[in-house]
Amino acid sequence: MNFASLPDRRAALDPDGAAVSDGRQALTNVQLLRRVQATARHLQDLGIGPGDVVALKLTNRVEFVLLLFAAWRLGATITPVNPSMTDVEVARQLTDSGARLLVSEDGEAAVTDGTAVLAVGELHDGAAERRSRMKPPFRTRPRWPCSSTPAARPGFPKG
């Protein structure tokens, strides 16, 4: 099984089963699949594809999971950015990871190195989208599904 296809498999096996929740929302397996597909379409529309890196500077929320699976479906990699990092540390991670897109909390003034920024609230929810437009999950093996942060490297402060 391709890990990116986990939402598809769970939706087929238990459509109404609980998939993921946070303090704001809860999604069933089918809802998760539809939202992952819509998020993947949104990332595709922004030019994200195989081998690209998407940085996620988000708190613990459903959208983190949506973006994670959406990126994997496209053959992209995510790099999680700790929301408590300074602007200098964030810029270093974006540069080191080669991120093409940073997804951040709504209203956050993200200082970047020229990386495109998307506020999490601007993600498409997929309500008006059709499933038939979405390609199946990326099938070749992308590089590591998550890249490490620069803080994990020797010579950089650990936090």
Side-chain angles (χ1 to χ4, degrees), residues 32-107:
L32 174 67
L33 175 59
R34 289 183 183 142
R35 296 276 305 275
V36 166
Q37 291 169 333
T39 302
R41 278 191 296 275
H42 193 157
L43 293 179
Q44 276 182 321
D45 290 347
L46 294 173
I48 301 300
D52 289 333
V53 177
V54 177
L56 305 180
K57 186 180 178 191
L58 300 172
T59 57
N60 294 334
R61 57 188 300 158
V62 166
E63 290 83 2
F64 190 99
V65 176
L66 299 174
L67 286 154
L68 180 70
F69 279 106
W72 289 346
R73 290 176 82 85
L74 300 174
T77 302
I78 66 109
T79 183
V81 178
N82 185 332
S84 67
M85 289 173 63
T86 67
D87 290 343
V88 170
E89 292 168 323
V90 171
R92 182 184 307 130
Q93 182 172 343
L94 295 175
T95 299
D96 288 353
S97 69
R100 292 198 52 216
L101 176 67
L102 169 66
V103 182
S104 63
E105 298 291 338
D106 295 333

Side-chain angles (χ1 to χ4, degrees), residues 93-158:
Q93 182 172 343
L94 295 175
T95 299
D96 288 353
S97 69
R100 292 198 52 216
L101 176 67
L102 169 66
V103 182
S104 63
E105 298 291 338
D106 295 333
E108 182 176 310
V111 176
T112 70
D113 62 341
T115 304
V117 178
L118 174 68
V120 71
E122 295 176 14
L123 282 176
H124 299 205
D125 68 6
E129 306 270 353
R130 291 190 167 205
R131 182 173 189 225
S132 60
R133 288 184 46 210
M134 185 60 207
K135 296 177 183 177
F138 189 74
R139 294 291 178 198
T140 62
R141 189 177 284 204
R143 58 186 179 157
W144 291 102
C146 294
S147 67
S148 64
T149 63
R153 295 189 338 236
F156 288 97
K158 305 300 186 266

